[in-house]
Amino acid sequence: MAQTEKQAEKQTESRLTNLYEHPGHLLRRAQQISVSIFHDEMGDELTPVQYAMLRSLESHAGIDQVSLSAISGIDTSTGATVCARLEEKGLLTRTVIPSNRRQRALAITATGEQLLADLIPGAQRLRRRLLAPLSAPEQLQFMALLSKLVQENNDQSRAPLARREA
């Protein structure tokens, strides 16, 4: 290991006595901030998890609940509850799959499609507000590093994200 790498590693090590040196704590705080801004910009009709699942369903019509949960990075129990709530709101339909009566094929309704279209400006504002403290190059770097962190640690999740092509 080169001397500069050793020095950098030593600088990132600490006794972790300050809570704000813990990456997990900072990620949790970032999530809290993100959810707060989500509701400011997107309203209260959907939760962030409902939005994620509905947005994923938009490009995967006919998918079953378990698969939708997997491509959204949501555990199947939560996914089933979210789908039931979205159905109650008239944003998706769940139809029994004849070949497997335990599974439900999902489809977004016209109301759900319209809601997603209406939320695009809010989603854009959300992204801008959340990343506003960073310069344009820092935003690109942050998103690349955050994506890498999530992808490389995917298998550590209780609900690993399943990759699926649209």
Side-chain angles (χ1 to χ4, degrees):
M1 187 181 302
Q3 185 62 27
T4 56
E5 286 182 48
K6 285 182 182 178
Q7 289 171 335
E9 186 178 302
K10 187 170 181 147
Q11 287 176 343
T12 62
E13 286 295 317
S14 76
R15 292 178 46 219
L16 297 176
T17 56
N18 179 346
L19 188 57
Y20 288 90
E21 293 177 353
H22 291 260
H25 181 73
L26 290 172
L27 288 168
R28 184 185 65 76
R29 288 288 297 138
Q31 171 64 7
Q32 286 177 324
I33 293 164
S34 177
V35 168
S36 179
I37 296 172
F38 177 95
H39 289 294
D40 285 352
E41 296 297 346
M42 311 273 278
D44 291 325
E45 189 161 351
L46 294 176
T47 67
V49 173
Q50 290 171 342
Y51 176 78
M53 291 196 67
L54 198 59
R55 184 59 73 190
S56 294
L57 178 59
E58 182 180 41
S59 57
H60 295 90
I63 196 171
D64 64 275
Q65 290 177 184
V66 172
S67 298
L68 180 63
S69 295
I71 64 169
S72 302
I74 310 290
D75 67 87
T76 56
S77 175
T78 300
T81 301
V82 169
C83 287
R85 292 237 167 83
L86 291 172
E87 183 179 40
E88 288 170 7
K89 292 180 178 194
L91 302 174
L92 67 75
T93 59
R94 297 187 303 168
T95 309
V96 173
I97 297 173
S99 61
N100 184 346
R101 300 195 56 77
R102 294 179 59 195
Q103 287 187 328
R104 304 283 186 266
L106 307 174
I108 192 167
T109 65
T111 303
E113 288 176 353
Q114 185 61 55
L115 177 60
L116 286 177
D118 293 345
L119 289 175
I120 289 172
Q124 292 168 337
R125 288 189 307 271
L126 165 63
R127 180 183 171 95
R128 283 193 302 270
R129 279 184 62 190
L130 194 57
L131 298 176
L134 306 175
S135 67
E138 287 172 330
Q139 289 178 17
L140 293 173
Q141 182 181 26
F142 174 77
M143 290 303 298
L145 291 172
L146 186 59
S147 293
K148 181 177 181 178
L149 182 89
V150 169
Q151 290 170 11
E152 296 296 321
N153 287 305
N154 184 53
D155 292 340
Q156 306 302 313
S157 173
R158 291 185 181 180
L161 180 66
R163 297 253 176 245
R164 187 169 171 147
E165 296 302 316

